[in-house]
């Protein structure tokens, strides 16, 4: 039987003449590491520099070599298949393919890593979506683009844009004709402050990729972290426009569901209204809907988590009713969201436990912690800005979150980077490799309630 490269036909994704609804996960924390997923503070490049300094070159290479090899293997792909999902979005950091000291020089190692997951998934009937999650210069203001500063320079500097076009030409050439690659997600959660660069850049990038690979779908995120599409213009051919649909009750500071979260009452109807608002562009343009990220975080409190499972089930039912494809964030982590989680009793988590406690106390992880421990610091600053700079509402989410970004997720996080690294003092190469093995499937645990929900949603 011939396996067809997926393409867009009207409002559907199809393989040949058969419609395909993509249902799966994002593989956060692997080729693009994130602080709440693996436990460090700040941005990935900060963590790597600090660990290299503390571990030394051999132990550093052994740790990350094993981490990259163990995080997703054929065992993980088989587990995904057992859940009934058919797709995996693979986020990656540009640094695996290109160094800042050698721009435009593509590294084979990046393809070796991507290929091992693409091939493992293909052998289990799972499509992959290749997702550039961290771009040179940073395409958005937050840690998940490996950005330690809150400034997104990608949109204002042509050199960064040229490098990304060149990188995608290389990726398109590598995966051209591969039917198990569902397509390319060229820019995760863009944050173009002016909103004037994203549309022209997408058109330039689309033309460059099509010149190399005319067939694969492009999955294009809206501006303002994949929520705003009015700056993109008319849809490009064979493209899927990507909404991210995190619901307020699912955030770390979310309230009861149904109930009040961040001052808003949210029930199932409101969740659907938000979904319809975020995907209006797709219905107006007659293009497919793909929710590239969504999903609650879990608290460890059974009653609260039960409400979050209910929220997830409602979202999945809404997506199904509107023929939306989806990728749940995220597959594997140290306990906040993953269906596969690192064993709390692992040597890795025992070693970093004091740092995790300090991170939680200071609220440095935007995604995984609250400001409860630093209100005495933040309240005077918030009050100052309300009184002295009431019109200051910086992109993308206004003054309050901008303040939190600088204080918690830049200054305090940077101070904690070295604390994380010091937790590995005295670790030799063999122990470093064993610590990284905590992320292997056979050493992890399954979040069974979430697995059950997903099996029902895909059956």
């Amino acid at each position: 039987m011939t396996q067809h490269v997926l393409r867009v036909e009207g409002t559907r994704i199809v393989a040949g003449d058969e419609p395909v609804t993509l249902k799966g996960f994002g593989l956060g924390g692997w080729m693009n590491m994130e602080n709440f997923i693996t436990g460090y503070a700040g941005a990935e490049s900060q963590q790597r520099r600090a660990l290299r300094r503390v571990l030394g070159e051999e132990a550093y290479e052994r740790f990350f070599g094993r981490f990259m090899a163990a995080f997703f293997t054929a065992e993980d792909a088989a587990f995904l298949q057992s859940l009934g999902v058919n797709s995996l979005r693979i986020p990656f950091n540009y640094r695996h393919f290109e160094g800042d000291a050698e721009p435009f020089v593509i590294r084979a190692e990046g393809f070796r890593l991507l290929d091992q997951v693409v091939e493992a998934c293909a052998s289990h009937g799972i499509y992959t979506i290749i997702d550039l999650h961290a771009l040179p210069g940073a395409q958005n203001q937050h840690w998940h683009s490996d950005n330690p500063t809150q400034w997104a320079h990608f949109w204002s500097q042509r050199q960064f844009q040229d490098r990304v076009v060149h990188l995608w030409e290389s990726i398109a050439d590598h995966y051209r004709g591969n039917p198990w690659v569902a397509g390319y997600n060229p820019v995760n959660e863009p944050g173009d402050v002016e909103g004037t660069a994203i549309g022209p850049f997408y058109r330039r990038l689309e033309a460059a990729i099509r010149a190399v690979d005319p067939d694969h779908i492009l999955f294009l995120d809206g501006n303002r972290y994949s929520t705003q599409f009015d700056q993109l213009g008319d849809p490009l051919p064979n493209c899927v426009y990507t909404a991210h649909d995190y619901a307020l009750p699912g955030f770390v500071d979310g309230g009861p569901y149904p109930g009040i979260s961040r001052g808003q009452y949210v029930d199932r109807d409101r969740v659907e209204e938000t979904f319809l608002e975020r995907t209006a562009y797709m219905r107006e343009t007659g293009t497919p809907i793909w929710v590239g990220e969504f999903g609650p975080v879990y608290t460890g409190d059974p009653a609260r988590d039960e409400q979050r499972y209910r929220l997830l089930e409602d979202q999945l039912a809404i997506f199904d009713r509107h023929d939306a494809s989806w990728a749940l964030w995220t597959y594997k982590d140290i306990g906040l969201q993953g269906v596969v989680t690192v064993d709390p009793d692992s040597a890795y988590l025992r070693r970093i436990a004091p740092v995790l406690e300090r991170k939680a106390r200071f609220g440095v992880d935007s995604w995984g912690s609250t400001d409860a421990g630093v209100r005495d610091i933040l309240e005077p600053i918030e009050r100052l800005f309300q009184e002295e700079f009431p019109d200051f509402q910086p992109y993308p989410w206004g003054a309050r979150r901008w303040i939190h970004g600088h204080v918690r997720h830049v200054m305090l996080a940077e101070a904690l980077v070295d604390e994380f690294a010091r937790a590995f003092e005295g670790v030799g190469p063999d122990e470093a490799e064993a610590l990284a093995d905590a992320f292997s499937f056979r050493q992890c645990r399954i979040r069974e309630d979430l697995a059950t929900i997903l099996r029902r949603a895909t059956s």
Side-chain angles (χ1 to χ4, degrees):
M1 180 178 174
T2 302
Q3 182 70 29
H4 297 277
V5 174
L6 298 185
R7 59 185 173 83
V8 170
E9 187 175 276
T11 62
R12 302 304 301 268
I13 298 170
V14 297
D17 296 325
E18 293 296 317
V20 174
T21 301
L22 298 173
K23 300 179 179 182
F25 280 96
L27 188 62
W30 179 55
M31 284 188 77
N32 188 71
M33 298 184 73
E34 295 194 40
N35 45 38
F36 76 92
I37 294 178
T38 54
Y40 65 90
E44 177 180 359
S45 55
Q46 293 173 306
Q47 173 216 201
R48 284 179 173 268
R49 283 193 297 270
L51 280 177
R52 189 187 294 272
R53 185 170 62 250
V54 168
L55 287 172
E57 193 64 28
E58 183 183 358
Y60 172 90
E61 293 294 342
R62 291 274 294 277
F63 176 84
F64 280 102
R66 182 57 188 155
F67 177 85
M68 299 307 296
F71 197 93
F72 193 93
T73 67
E75 288 180 280
D76 294 279
F79 176 66
L80 288 182
Q81 186 180 41
S82 78
L83 295 178
V85 303
N86 66 356
S87 59
L88 182 69
R89 179 179 182 238
I90 310 175
F92 70 96
N93 190 316
Y94 78 95
R95 298 177 194 275
H96 287 287
F97 285 88
E98 184 201 68
D100 292 330
E102 294 183 296
F104 301 102
V105 177
I106 300 298
R107 298 169 174 169
E109 173 67 5
F111 285 117
R112 185 189 69 79
L113 291 169
L114 267 184
D115 285 348
Q116 73 184 37
V117 172
V118 170
E119 291 166 8
C121 286
S123 68
H124 290 84
I126 295 168
Y127 293 103
T128 45
I129 298 100
I130 312 299
D131 156 37
L132 181 52
H133 221 75
L135 281 62
Q139 79 280 10
N140 64 41
Q141 291 74 21
H142 291 124
W143 78 96
H144 45 82
S145 59
D146 198 7
N147 184 352
T149 70
Q150 283 210 123
W151 290 96
H153 294 294
F154 173 81
W155 302 105
S156 61
Q157 298 201 32
R158 175 77 182 209
Q159 59 169 319
F160 294 139
Q161 297 170 22
D162 291 348
R163 287 166 63 184
V164 167
V165 170
H166 179 255
L167 173 55
W168 274 111
E169 288 173 332
S170 301
I171 294 170
D173 181 63
H174 186 80
Y175 291 110
R176 178 177 53 199
N178 187 326
W180 285 108
V181 172
Y184 312 132
N185 191 187
V187 183
N188 175 68
E189 292 194 342
D192 174 13
V193 176
E194 301 296 330
T196 56
I198 184 171
F201 179 71
Y202 274 178
R203 290 189 287 275
R204 177 190 175 199
L205 185 61
E206 187 262 352
I209 291 174
R210 298 291 188 227
V212 177
D213 177 356
D215 298 322
H216 273 110
I217 294 171
L218 299 189
F219 294 85
L220 299 178
D221 285 24
N223 201 20
R224 201 182 292 266
Y225 294 61
S226 208
T227 63
Q228 182 179 9
F229 297 88
D230 60 342
Q231 297 162 336
L232 303 188
D234 293 333
L236 294 165
N238 204 33
C239 287
V240 173
Y241 290 83
T242 308
H244 289 184
D245 193 24
Y246 291 104
L248 287 179
F251 286 112
V252 67
D253 61 347
Y257 178 75
I260 303 293
S261 290
R262 297 184 183 175
Q264 297 183 39
Y265 180 79
V266 182
D267 60 7
R268 190 184 187 285
D269 289 342
R270 182 57 192 146
V271 170
E272 184 161 18
E273 288 170 8
T274 303
F275 164 80
L276 292 172
E277 291 164 3
R278 290 173 174 169
T279 57
Y281 176 87
M282 299 75 168
R283 284 186 304 283
E284 291 165 2
T285 57
T287 52
I289 298 172
W290 183 53
V291 179
E293 289 184 23
F294 74 107
V297 302
Y298 301 104
T299 66
D301 177 84
R304 292 185 69 194
D305 286 350
E306 183 59 37
Q307 294 178 350
R308 288 163 189 245
Y309 290 134
R310 191 183 318 149
L311 169 65
L312 176 62
E313 289 182 290
D314 284 349
Q315 286 192 285
L316 291 170
I318 290 164
F319 300 162
D320 184 60
R321 189 163 64 255
H322 293 279
D323 292 325
S325 295
W326 48 265
L328 180 64
W329 193 262
T330 185
Y331 169 65
K332 182 183 287 187
D333 65 7
I334 61 171
L336 194 70
Q337 285 187 285
V339 67
V340 175
T341 65
V342 174
D343 186 342
D345 196 42
S346 65
Y348 176 83
L349 284 184
R350 290 200 310 271
R351 179 170 287 276
I352 68 170
V355 184
L356 295 178
E357 187 278 327
R358 295 261 290 172
K359 286 173 60 189
R361 182 152 59 91
F362 291 117
V364 300
D365 287 354
S366 178
W367 199 245
S369 59
T370 71
D371 64 354
V374 286
R375 288 306 303 156
D376 59 325
I377 298 169
L378 292 165
E379 282 177 3
I381 304 174
E382 293 168 1
R383 187 166 57 251
L384 171 69
F385 272 78
Q386 289 169 1
E387 294 172 355
E388 300 291 342
F389 308 103
D391 298 326
F392 180 67
Q393 294 298 323
Y395 186 95
W397 313 119
R400 188 177 189 276
R401 289 176 68 177
W402 179 86
I403 292 165
H404 284 239
H406 277 300
V407 175
R408 293 167 56 195
H409 316 315
V410 173
M411 291 195 302
L412 289 172
E414 187 169 349
L416 278 164
V417 168
D418 285 335
E419 286 196 28
F420 177 83
R422 282 196 296 272
F424 293 81
E425 285 181 341
V427 171
D430 290 344
E431 186 181 2
E433 189 170 290
L435 288 169
D437 208 39
F439 289 88
S440 64
F441 183 81
R442 63 188 60 189
Q443 291 197 31
C444 287
R445 294 183 173 186
I446 307 300
R447 197 186 299 272
E448 294 292 352
D449 289 344
L450 178 54
T452 298
I453 290 169
L454 293 168
R455 288 190 176 100
R456 283 201 300 262
T458 59
S459 62

